[in-house]
Amino acid sequence: MEKLFLSVAAGALILSSCVSNPEGKKAETTDSVETTANVGAGNALPVDTSASELAWTGRKVSGQHHGTVKIKSGSLTVNNGQLTGGNFVVDLTTITNHDLDGEYKGKLEGHLKSADFFDVENHPEATFEITGVEPGAEAGVVKVSGNLTIRGVSKNITFDAHVQEATDTSVKATADFNIAREDWGVNYAGQADDLISKEINLKVTLVAGA
C-alpha cells in the first residue's frame, strides 16, 4: 500500500510539473541599460491608445487564459522611414480576461491584480522604453531592445518587431514574445496540482501618428 501511495504521489507530482510555456520566442533578458546615443532621433509621434493593444497569454497544467491590458500613453520616434525609439505606459488596473465569464472572470482578474502577480495597488503601471533599435534578419523586421519595468523591477529585453508602416507622420509596429515572469518578481507558482507556466506571452500592437 505504501509503495502504491508513493507511486501515485510521484505520478501526481510529475503531472503537476508538466506545464508548457505559451507559444512564442522568449525575449533575451539582461539588467536594465542606458539608452544608446542614436535612440530617439527624428519625429516623436503620440501613440493612438484606442488602436494600440497589449494582449497576454498564460498557461497552467489544466489549460490557459488570455486577455488584454490597455496602453495608457506613449510615443514612437521615426527618422527617414525608420523606427528609432519610443516608449509606452501600460495601465495594469485594466487587466482583463477574455476566456471566462461572470464570477470566475472576476476572480481571475482580481488575482492577477493582487500581490501574487502584478501587485496593482502598489504598482498600477508597467513601462517600456526603447534603448536600441537594430536591423532585423529580414525586410520590415527590426531588433528592439528596451527597459521593461514591472512591479518596480526593470530589465532590458530584446525581441523582433515587425514594422508594418513607418513615415514621418505615422507608425504601426507589432511584436510577439515571451518573458519569464519571475525576472520581475511575479513568483506565484499556482496550485500544487495545477502549476502555472514560468513564461507569459505578450503580443504588442502599437499605432502612432501625428
Side-chain angles (χ1 to χ4, degrees):
M1 180 65 71
E2 182 179 359
K3 289 183 178 180
L4 176 61
F5 173 78
L6 291 174
S7 177
V8 171
L13 179 61
I14 291 171
L15 178 63
S16 67
S17 63
C18 292
V19 53
S20 59
N21 291 313
E23 291 184 12
K25 181 180 178 181
K26 184 177 179 296
E28 300 173 25
T29 305
T30 63
D31 292 336
S32 60
V33 302
E34 296 294 328
T35 305
T36 55
N38 65 325
V39 171
N43 295 330
L45 305 173
V47 167
D48 181 349
T49 56
S50 64
S52 301
E53 181 181 74
L54 173 61
W56 59 267
T57 299
R59 281 186 176 172
K60 56 183 181 177
V61 171
S62 61
Q64 70 175 35
H65 295 297
H66 66 273
T68 55
V69 190
K70 289 184 178 180
I71 294 175
K72 183 177 182 179
S73 62
S75 66
L76 294 176
T77 306
V78 182
N79 190 19
N80 294 323
Q82 301 294 322
L83 178 68
T84 61
N87 61 78
F88 61 89
V89 178
V90 177
D91 183 358
L92 293 178
T93 68
T94 67
I95 294 173
T96 304
N97 166 262
H98 290 172
D99 57 83
L100 296 174
D101 295 307
E103 178 185 358
Y104 293 105
K105 172 182 169 69
K107 284 184 175 180
L108 177 58
E109 291 173 353
H111 196 192
L112 292 174
K113 294 174 185 178
S114 75
D116 279 346
F117 286 93
F118 297 102
D119 193 14
V120 171
E121 182 177 356
N122 294 305
H123 304 284
E125 296 177 348
T127 62
F128 181 75
E129 180 179 9
I130 294 176
T131 59
V133 181
E134 298 179 359
E138 56 187 271
V141 177
V142 293
K143 182 172 287 189
V144 174
S145 297
N147 293 329
L148 175 63
T149 302
I150 303 172
R151 289 179 61 121
V153 177
S154 293
K155 296 287 184 179
N156 194 265
I157 62 174
T158 300
F159 54 87
D160 289 336
H162 294 260
V163 181
Q164 300 170 1
E165 180 182 350
T167 71
D168 289 341
T169 58
S170 62
V171 187
K172 181 176 181 180
T174 61
D176 181 347
F177 58 89
N178 287 10
I179 60 171
R181 56 191 178 85
E182 292 179 350
D183 288 339
W184 287 267
V186 184
N187 299 316
Y188 181 73
Q191 301 297 319
D193 60 348
D194 199 11
L195 297 180
I196 299 171
S197 61
K198 291 184 177 296
E199 294 181 11
I200 307 168
N201 175 257
L202 302 176
K203 291 181 174 62
V204 184
T205 300
L206 289 178
V207 178

